[in-house]
Amino acid sequence: MVRTLRAAGASILDVHSDAIHHRSVFTLTAPAVTLRIALTRLAKVTAEIRLGHHDGVHPRLGGLDVCPIVPLDASMDKAVALARSVGASIHGATGLPIYFYGEAAVREQTRELRDLRRGGLRRLVERAAGPLPPDIGGPVDPEYGVVCVGARGPLVAFNVNLEADLAAAAEIANRVRETSGGLPGVRALSFPLGSGVFQVSMNLTEPGTAGIDEVFESIAGMVERSSVRIVGCEVVGLVPERFLPDPTKQAARLLEQPDLCLEKRVRSSSS
């Protein structure tokens, strides 16, 4: 897949792969036209992935599960236009149904990716045949799924690993989650990693308000007087410089891979 993206002219800034989640996250940059070509070729490579033959703790709706366009030095309007163009191109090349989400959504019901994910692919197949058809294409094949193409601002994918049991990890994810009265912009799930370790997997969608340090300290406070122990944390993808954790605080010291500054990688790719 990396070769496919590079052959199309995209610069690969980061690749994060995880066998337990059975998922890879690519961070890439390119001019708009090049990016559309690269993502379409990636969709063609992943279009034949049969979801029923793949296991992993992370939920998914397709082989190319989500395809967010995040503007760095461009307007959100341009990101939306590119997302719509990418979605049309992917469908034309693969036949896969397309949902637009985030700022690229054409319906309020698909604006939040979590609403599309709710109930998993099986439930989306049912809704696609009724009140929530894809924005492009259809019907949805449960073996091959859909591609969700979006435009959004930066978010931080931040995970905290705990020595805990399932109930304790699920409770912590619930308490930190915005919809349960937790921190603003925090979406959280809990996953087993094996050997008594569970992960609180989070998307921080308002990292200027509730960022890595605030979220980590909140979870640390929850487990302070319990048998649960924090054993590590990680960022998936890259982080805009202004949202990096304070290097003097505990979250930064526990990061499995600390050097994940987006702007630094962009500068390196263009030098």
Side-chain angles (χ1 to χ4, degrees), residues 99 107 109-110 123-135:
Y99 283 96
R107 296 169 289 178
Q109 300 98 307
T110 69
R123 178 62 181 137
L124 183 61
V125 169
E126 296 171 356
R127 290 188 292 159
L132 196 66
D135 294 309

Side-chain angles (χ1 to χ4, degrees), residues 80-132:
V80 168
L82 179 56
R84 301 269 177 82
S85 175
V86 167
S89 180
I90 288 174
H91 175 71
T94 67
L96 289 170
I98 305 295
Y99 283 96
F100 293 113
Y101 74 96
E103 297 300 317
V106 295
R107 296 169 289 178
E108 193 60 35
Q109 300 98 307
T110 69
R111 175 169 290 274
E112 296 288 344
L113 187 59
R114 63 187 175 188
D115 292 336
L116 285 169
R117 286 202 189 282
R118 188 167 290 119
L121 179 57
R122 181 177 298 180
R123 178 62 181 137
L124 183 61
V125 169
E126 296 171 356
R127 290 188 292 159
L132 196 66

Side-chain angles (χ1 to χ4, degrees), residues 38-53:
L39 293 172
T40 301
R41 290 184 184 177
L42 180 62
K44 289 179 72 174
V45 170
T46 58
E48 296 304 314
I49 292 175
R50 298 180 65 183
L51 301 177
H53 294 252

Side-chain angles (χ1 to χ4, degrees), residues 15-39:
V15 179
H16 183 105
S17 295
D18 186 317
I20 294 173
H21 291 77
H22 207 169
R23 183 178 180 87
S24 293
V25 178
F26 299 89
T27 307
L28 57 144
T29 185
V33 173
T34 302
L35 197 57
R36 175 172 54 80
I37 293 169
L39 293 172

